[in-house]
Amino acid sequence: MREVLAQAAFQLFLERGFERTTVDDIVARAGVGRRSFFRYFPSKEDAVFPDHERCFAEMTEFLAAVDDSDPVGAVCDAARIVLRMYAANPEFSVQRYRLTREVPGLRTYELSVVRRYEQTLAGHLRGRFGEGGDGELRAEVIAASVVAAHNNGLRLWLRSGGEGDPEAAVDHALALVCEVWRRAAAEAGAPSPEGRGGGEEALPGGSVPGSNAPLPAAPSSAGSVPPSLFPPSPSPPSPFPPSPFPVSGDGEVIVVVARKGTPMWRVVQQIEAAVGEN
């Protein structure tokens, strides 16, 4: 029934548009009642992403059973579970990608899904590196870089219309993440154990135990930020420390205020409304 409802919903979204399709339209096409729809999907948006709950469950099960001698390699492998989900149905994945690009609300919802994957990976890494201090920071940074690399490769494949091998693009992107962490660990003088399969060097995340282990220094090839990007603060000085990252060219800063417990997708929606579409 879940698949029948998702298929009916997606057909209508393509025919009429997402905004002009109602839940009543979907259940009429599927030949069921409204109660059946809400038993499987809390909202129309959820019907666009019917396979993610199963993927979350598979990822959680995988991470719970994986050998943790190389935790960074483990979260890279976990990210590939998402890739296989998309690759299993290329036509649907490409159509969904195009629909999501056209509907701002779906883009916002998709960001909340991505954030959930990232939190799942970061949670696993925190179990290895520790819950506080640099251990927690290390977990968040690695999880974010793995998700960004995975999504870069996946979207290249989706933009091509599902042509070619999606694993090649994602493997290439994840290899860049590995390279950065290996180089960073080498500059920090961190030891590196033997890698996972193929004789490759392991990622540094698995070689620095303890929650207080410092993050490796940034690779020297990344360069340093020119001091001219951060002119002296006007008088009176700001009570906040200067940011280590350059701001946008116009120097604007956006502050979003939300109640505690507000869903992340709503916060992102506020930010998108403020900055406009890219």
Side-chain angles (χ1 to χ4, degrees):
M1 178 58 66
R2 182 182 180 88
E3 292 179 1
V4 169
L5 285 165
Q7 184 176 12
F10 206 78
Q11 288 174 348
L12 287 168
F13 296 154
L14 294 178
E15 293 171 11
R16 305 181 185 180
F18 180 81
E19 300 296 346
R20 291 190 295 274
T21 300
T22 66
V23 172
D24 289 333
D25 295 332
I26 296 171
V27 298
R29 174 69 65 92
V32 299
R34 286 174 59 88
R35 186 174 299 177
S36 295
F37 179 88
F38 289 111
R39 184 178 298 127
Y40 294 97
F41 301 111
S43 66
K44 283 196 309 179
E45 289 81 2
D46 290 281
V48 181
F49 304 92
D51 39 10
H52 280 289
E53 286 301 324
R54 183 173 63 250
C55 191
F56 276 121
E58 186 178 349
M59 176 184 285
T60 301
E61 183 179 354
F62 171 81
L63 290 172
V66 73
D67 176 10
D68 233 6
S69 60
D70 178 11
V72 183
V75 294
C76 285
D77 289 341
R80 291 184 174 94
I81 294 174
V82 184
L83 171 67
R84 291 195 293 269
M85 177 195 73
Y86 277 86
N89 194 342
E91 182 179 0
F92 173 74
S93 296
V94 170
Q95 288 179 335
R96 175 168 60 187
Y97 176 75
R98 291 171 178 169
L99 178 66
T100 304
R101 298 308 92 190
E102 297 171 0
V103 182
L106 290 179
R107 288 203 299 274
T108 302
Y109 185 93
E110 184 184 45
L111 287 173
S112 71
V113 173
V114 172
R115 177 58 180 163
R116 188 176 171 192
Y117 281 118
E118 184 177 318
Q119 289 177 323
T120 300
L121 300 181
H124 177 78
L125 292 171
R126 282 195 297 271
R128 175 63 179 83
F129 301 140
E131 293 288 344
D134 283 347
E136 184 166 357
L137 176 59
R138 181 190 296 273
E140 294 288 345
V141 169
I142 294 175
S145 63
V146 168
V147 168
H150 169 274
N151 287 350
N152 179 274
L154 174 62
R155 286 167 184 160
L156 286 174
W157 176 69
L158 291 171
R159 291 189 192 111
S160 74
E163 298 293 331
D165 180 11
E167 292 190 15
V170 171
D171 285 344
H172 174 72
L174 291 176
L176 291 179
V177 174
C178 296
E179 179 185 353
V180 167
W181 282 94
R182 287 194 190 105
R183 189 168 64 235
E187 293 195 3
S192 298
E194 292 184 359
R196 297 159 53 91
E200 290 188 351
E201 180 185 7
L203 293 172
S207 63
V208 185
S211 61
N212 294 322
L215 284 170
S220 59
S221 59
S224 58
V225 180
S228 59
L229 289 177
F230 300 104
S233 300
S235 183
S238 169
F240 302 103
S243 169
F245 304 104
V247 297
S248 60
D250 55 16
E252 291 185 350
V253 175
I254 295 173
V255 177
V256 176
V257 179
R259 291 182 179 276
K260 184 177 181 181
T262 300
M264 181 60 66
W265 68 269
R266 286 198 178 277
V267 177
V268 175
Q269 193 174 48
Q270 288 181 265
I271 297 173
E272 283 190 336
V275 302
E277 295 185 12
N278 292 328

